[in-house]
Amino acid sequence: MILGTADGNGSSSRTNRVVAATVVGLKSYVRNPLLLAMFAFLPAYFLGVVSFLTPSAPMPVHLPGGGTTTASLSTVYPVLLTPLVGALVGGFAGFFRTHAGRDADARLVLAGYRPAELITARLGLLAVVGILVTGVSMGVLLVTLGPNRPAAIALATLFAATTYGIVGALVGTAVGRLPGVYLMLFGPSLDVFLFQNPASTLDRPVELLPGHYPAALALEAQFGGGITVETLGLAVAYLAVVTVVSVAFARIRR
């Protein structure tokens, strides 16, 4: 009983420390005007203005699991832009937290935090950002389009935000501020809007890029019979691999 109580108290203490570190990260986001502007501006611009200006010309949509359907550009682009918004906001959130939060992490280490606790807090913080940007983006999409399967598109957006959030954390560990900003601005945009776009001239999407499976989930949700177990499983596997690589690289850099 004594051992069990001690272990329970230790587990509770670790949880409290992770929550406290997560709150510190959220406060740093609130003080970052760029991230706040992205939360408010990107969903309204991409899903509102761009969707409104996109013509209703028909186009073929090649579904990830095979098969082709026809849809209008004004429907395809909002569905594709929703995970792109998640990727952009999540990527910048991961990058700035890693790049600008090094001093805060150093202070937490001096206060007795373990590396595992900081990594868990950082992953939890990215998950919170992903949920928030998914909620905002889906709210705009529901008004502008009224998607067939909003829950599935929300899941695709969450995958895009968390996957690119971890990629952003990796970039923040590896490169400086200016090149990192350019990478996180153009990387997700080219990935989702060019290399995963069914309207592009590519023969097939580039599957190795982080935006592939979120985009595939969104397209399946809107234009197919719903998301497939295979695509969902591959999205989970890709996120797990990116997480392991990012954590391993962060430990090496320490």
Side-chain angles (χ1 to χ4, degrees):
M1 292 295 292
I2 295 175
L3 291 176
T5 302
D7 183 69
N9 291 337
S11 176
S12 176
S13 175
R14 286 191 295 270
T15 301
N16 291 338
R17 288 151 68 93
V18 169
V19 171
T22 303
V23 171
V24 170
L26 285 173
K27 289 180 178 179
S28 70
Y29 285 156
V30 173
R31 293 192 294 267
N32 189 320
L34 176 60
L35 278 178
L36 293 178
M38 291 182 71
F39 266 107
F41 175 74
L42 283 184
Y45 177 72
F46 277 149
L47 303 179
V49 177
V50 173
S51 299
F52 177 77
L53 296 176
T54 302
S56 299
M59 60 165 288
V61 178
H62 303 287
L63 299 175
T68 303
T69 187
T70 301
S72 67
L73 280 172
S74 60
T75 302
V76 174
Y77 277 4
V79 171
L80 199 61
L81 288 171
T82 306
L84 174 56
V85 170
L88 284 168
V89 176
F92 272 109
F95 172 74
F96 282 123
R97 179 65 190 96
T98 301
H99 195 270
R102 290 170 182 168
D103 292 340
D105 287 349
R107 289 193 295 270
L108 291 174
V109 170
L110 290 176
Y113 277 73
R114 299 175 180 176
E117 293 171 337
L118 295 179
I119 291 171
T120 302
R122 187 172 296 172
L123 293 176
L125 181 62
L126 294 177
V128 171
V129 171
I131 292 170
L132 290 175
V133 70
T134 297
V136 174
S137 300
M138 288 306 301
V140 177
L141 186 65
L142 288 170
V143 173
T144 58
L145 178 64
N148 292 335
R149 298 175 182 87
I153 296 177
L155 181 63
T157 306
L158 182 59
F159 267 110
T162 51
T163 302
Y164 258 107
I166 295 172
V167 170
L170 180 60
V171 170
T173 305
V175 303
R177 185 181 182 90
L178 185 58
V181 167
Y182 280 113
L183 279 173
M184 298 320 302
L185 177 62
F186 292 108
S189 302
L190 292 174
D191 178 5
V192 178
F193 204 64
L194 177 61
F195 296 118
Q196 315 303 333
N197 192 339
S200 72
T201 58
L202 297 175
D203 293 333
R204 56 182 302 168
V206 182
E207 297 182 1
L208 292 178
L209 293 177
H212 172 69
Y213 293 110
L217 288 171
L219 293 173
E220 284 182 348
Q222 179 66 23
F223 305 109
I227 59 177
T228 62
V229 175
E230 179 184 3
T231 306
L232 180 60
L234 290 171
V236 173
Y238 194 101
L239 177 61
V241 170
V242 170
T243 302
V244 170
V245 171
S246 180
V247 170
F249 189 78
R251 285 183 175 274
I252 292 172
R253 293 284 290 186
R254 287 180 186 276

